[in-house]
Amino acid sequence: MTGSGGTLEVGLRGAVGELRIEAAFEARAGETTAIFGPSGSGKTTLLRAVSGLTRLSGRLALGPDTWQDDQRGVFVPAYRRRIGFAFQEPALFDHLTVEGNLRYAERRSDEPDGAPSVSFIGVVQRLGLDRHLGRMPRGLSGGERQRVSLARALLARPAVLLLDEPLSGLHRTARAAILPWLRALGEASGTVTLYVSHDLGEVVDVADRIAPIASGSVTAAAPAGQALDHLPAGHLLSRFEAGSVLTATVRAQLPALSLSELDLGGQRLRVPGTGRPVGTEARLRVRARDVAVATEAPTAISIRNVLRGTVTEVRDLPETPFAEVAVGIADQRLVARITRDAASELGLEAGREVFALLKTVSFDDA
Amino acid sequence: MNAETLWPPIRLTLELAGVTTVFLLLLGTPIAWWLARTRFRFREAVAALVALPLVLPPTVLGFYLLIALGPDGPGGFVARLFGERSLAFSFPGLVIGSIIYSLPFTVQPIRSAFEAVGDRPLEAAATLRASPWDAFWTVAVPLARPGLIAGAVLGFAHTVGEFGVILMIGGNIPGATRVLSIAIYDHVELMEWGTAHVLSGSLLAFSFVVVALTLSLQKRIGGRDR
């Protein structure tokens, strides 16, 4: 990838079939912005519009380069935009070998000799394609085709990398190995990466920022943690990125600290935000990975919210290093995601008294 | 029967078919590409115009061509630039007539092959910074190659077998317009059965090879989607 072209400013609207697209957001160089939403919400159309394959109206610019500006009559065709695009259905060239497909992209990139961060051999090895270079695309499996397609998009050394569910055909463990690398690659090369997905787990692993999309409308890209906390709880609880919803009573407002103090079964919690009247009930959301578990009361620690409870269940998550620990607090249930290694070292099992450390808590409807 | 009577019409036929095929590809490929890609409303009307020689009696086509190529037509105007009176009854005239007559046989398989390529590979090429011209040569043409070969083979073969149009616009001038099919007709008229047998038998074998080749190529195009 050829490094920073600057911030991608998207201001596009238009109708494609039944769907009305309304997109206004920015995506920064070196960051991965996930466009996250259900099927049929316009994610693919939005990527196509950014690439120039589909024409909507409005304005689109990458740093100083204007790609589209209807008021000035500017529309740069797709082949003059510094993009890489991995389609959901890989569109490989059937008349070329895997290597031929990759070289096709590399030869036409701005740096045919290869930037160090995305060398041909580096990409090929990381995506496990070294053994397949001489094969024809038609003989490849679906997952292999997707990896070739992704490699080809990377070797175009784009300023804007457009990924449309690029790993949907891969096994979760294979995906988990690729996503952090992809993110690091984008960061190192200063690429604007737009990553379309409907899989929250994938989004959490890859995104610096998340731009939720619903019925064709994208209005902002927020930092990942913040955006996740704004998602409806159903999203969080239904996917492998588990979380818990707790109910607590507002005890006091601490405006000087921008915090509210809450009571949960006699224990005290402090949560950002002061909007709730004292005495009302509030729903809190806690992501499982934001909960740590200790067997003794921790001292001298920055985490302010520590709840005492009893382990009700320890469940290993297959094919991951993690386990989920359910902790009963009063009559409520809090889920922590910790490593299996830690769970066994601490001797966690049902009935054990523990302290749950909550790194981040937020109001459910904040 | 000797080489001097057999050879000139064969050579003339191969020359005519060869030159015609080159022009068919040069002309037919862009037409096929346009027909496969355009969203122009009257696209099928243009396609019908190209396909017209399939159903038009060769004598009708030949009649109009004769007028067009003759001294009073546009062909005559062009001919005068080169110091001739007319393009009718000349080799260039035969080439022009053959191109029009064989065009549908070249355009149709190439158009189908381009349509089978579809948008996706071309869009992928565009995202890899291939200009439309670049993508045409490096993606569309290689993917449509069986169709291009089929178009060339059918155009060539159809020109070899031409009779009616040539008789109308070329007459029967030995060494200039007397092609194989007309030579066979002459030999039969003169009751030279032996010569007619040799030439007809060769054309029969040639035609069989062409059809077999084309069918196997079309099978390869069909196999592309599976």
Side-chain angles (χ1 to χ4, degrees):
Chain A
M1 292 178 258
T2 58
S4 176
T7 298
L8 181 73
E9 296 166 53
V10 181
L12 295 170
R13 72 198 92 67
V16 176
E18 298 279 283
L19 192 68
R20 278 207 61 79
I21 301 281
E22 181 89 51
F25 67 97
E26 290 188 355
R28 299 182 190 176
E31 287 192 348
T32 299
T33 302
I35 298 172
F36 171 63
S39 311
S41 55
K43 303 189 292 289
T44 297
T45 306
L46 181 58
L47 283 201
R48 288 179 58 89
V50 171
S51 74
L53 292 176
T54 294
R55 187 162 184 172
L56 300 176
S57 47
R59 190 170 179 281
L60 182 68
L62 175 69
D65 298 334
T66 303
W67 283 356
Q68 181 175 354
D69 188 343
D70 291 352
Q71 286 179 356
R72 285 166 41 210
V74 176
F75 185 86
V76 176
Y79 69 92
R80 293 224 179 90
R81 302 183 183 192
R82 286 167 53 206
I83 53 171
F85 200 149
F87 299 90
Q88 193 175 1
E89 300 291 330
L92 302 181
F93 301 135
D94 282 342
H95 62 295
L96 299 174
T97 60
V98 168
E99 175 160 12
N101 270 272
L102 302 182
R103 297 286 186 201
Y104 191 99
E106 192 174 41
R107 263 200 306 278
R108 288 166 177 77
S109 70
D110 289 346
E111 299 160 47
D113 300 329
S117 62
V118 262
S119 70
F120 182 86
I121 198 68
V123 168
V124 162
Q125 282 178 349
R126 200 65 181 69
L127 292 173
L129 296 173
D130 12 8
R131 288 179 299 115
H132 304 305
L133 286 177
R135 294 175 66 191
M136 298 306 284
R138 261 188 265 181
L140 300 176
S141 74
E144 287 163 349
R145 294 172 66 85
Q146 279 197 322
R147 281 183 282 147
V148 175
S149 171
L150 176 60
R152 193 175 64 175
L154 291 170
L155 289 170
R157 305 205 170 93
V160 176
L161 181 61
L162 305 166
L163 305 174
D164 190 359
E165 313 236 3
L167 305 175
S168 56
L170 267 64
H171 197 267
R172 178 161 285 159
T173 38
R175 233 186 298 172
I178 292 174
L179 288 176
W181 168 71
L182 206 54
R183 182 178 179 169
L185 199 62
E187 201 177 315
S189 55
T191 306
V192 174
T193 305
L194 295 187
Y195 192 102
V196 154
S197 180
H198 66 270
D199 184 320
L200 186 58
E202 219 173 274
V203 167
V204 167
D205 282 349
V206 81
D208 296 295
R209 284 168 182 272
I210 298 178
I213 182 167
S215 332
S217 168
V218 190
T219 48
Q226 201 178 317
L228 279 179
D229 291 345
H230 284 72
L231 293 174
H235 271 306
L236 279 176
L237 299 177
S238 64
R239 299 285 175 171
F240 90 95
E241 170 72 2
S244 323
V245 175
L246 302 171
T247 307
T249 312
V250 179
R251 276 275 159 267
Q253 307 284 6
L254 309 172
L257 302 171
S258 299
L259 294 172
S260 296
E261 192 166 286
L262 293 93
D263 177 272
L264 195 161
Q267 304 194 59
R268 198 192 70 175
L269 276 175
R270 286 184 169 182
V271 178
T274 55
R276 270 136 239 283
V278 172
T280 56
E281 283 208 329
R283 280 157 56 84
L284 304 172
R285 195 138 32 81
V286 187
R287 287 182 298 184
R289 62 168 185 172
D290 283 341
V291 180
V293 177
T295 51
E296 292 172 18
T299 54
I301 184 169
S302 68
I303 294 176
R304 308 317 297 168
N305 292 315
V306 179
L307 297 171
R308 182 196 287 264
T310 311
V311 174
T312 57
E313 191 192 356
V314 178
R315 192 167 65 87
D316 286 354
L317 298 173
E319 294 165 17
T320 74
F322 300 107
E324 278 184 358
V325 179
V327 180
I329 298 161
D331 55 351
Q332 304 197 48
R333 186 172 183 270
L334 177 67
V335 176
R337 191 176 82 173
I338 61 175
T339 60
R340 293 210 295 263
D341 180 40
S344 70
E345 195 146 310
L346 290 171
L348 295 183
E349 53 185 7
R352 179 91 197 232
E353 283 266 324
V354 292
F355 295 88
L357 287 63
L358 281 51
K359 264 187 283 184
T360 314
V361 189
S362 59
F363 288 111
D364 192 20
D365 49 353
Chain B
M1 188 191 339
N2 58 49
E4 272 156 55
T5 52
L6 283 180
W7 186 239
I10 293 178
R11 199 187 60 190
L12 182 67
T13 303
L14 292 178
E15 273 175 13
L16 176 63
V19 172
T20 301
T21 303
V22 170
F23 280 106
L24 279 175
L25 284 178
L26 290 177
L27 203 67
T29 305
I31 292 174
W33 176 253
W34 183 81
L35 287 172
R37 307 286 310 169
T38 186
R39 300 206 183 100
F40 180 56
R41 192 146 39 122
F42 302 112
R43 174 182 67 174
E44 292 310 324
V46 177
L49 203 62
V50 173
L52 207 53
L54 286 174
V55 290
L56 210 57
T59 42
V60 173
L61 183 63
F63 172 68
Y64 286 120
L65 278 169
L66 186 62
I67 291 171
L69 296 174
D72 299 327
F77 177 78
V78 174
R80 273 192 293 281
L81 300 178
F82 297 94
E84 302 283 335
R85 206 175 75 83
S86 158
L87 279 181
F89 307 105
S90 73
F91 185 77
L94 286 194
V95 170
I96 291 171
S98 303
I99 289 169
I100 292 170
Y101 189 46
S102 298
L103 197 59
F105 291 85
T106 301
V107 168
Q108 195 43 51
I110 300 178
R111 177 185 175 179
S112 301
F114 280 146
E115 281 172 349
V117 169
D119 288 341
R120 307 280 297 166
L122 296 167
E123 288 188 347
T127 68
L128 299 170
R129 266 166 276 173
S131 68
W133 179 252
D134 182 0
F136 175 79
W137 288 107
T138 56
V139 175
V141 165
L143 285 174
R145 196 173 56 184
L148 284 157
I149 296 174
V153 168
L154 283 175
F156 186 91
H158 192 247
T159 306
V160 167
E162 213 177 333
F163 180 77
V165 174
I166 298 214
L167 199 61
M168 293 292 284
I169 63 173
N172 189 355
I173 305 166
T177 65
R178 188 173 184 238
V179 296
L180 204 43
S181 55
I182 289 172
I184 292 170
Y185 178 78
D186 281 352
H187 290 306
V188 172
E189 287 277 275
L190 298 170
M191 308 263 262
E192 294 167 357
W193 297 100
T195 318
H197 261 303
V198 170
L199 293 177
S200 299
S202 321
L203 265 186
L204 185 68
F206 170 77
S207 305
F208 176 79
V209 169
V210 164
V211 172
L213 200 67
T214 310
L215 286 179
S216 80
L217 278 170
Q218 274 168 352
K219 209 163 174 190
R220 273 187 60 191
I221 304 177
R224 166 156 262 123
D225 299 326
R226 263 167 248 149

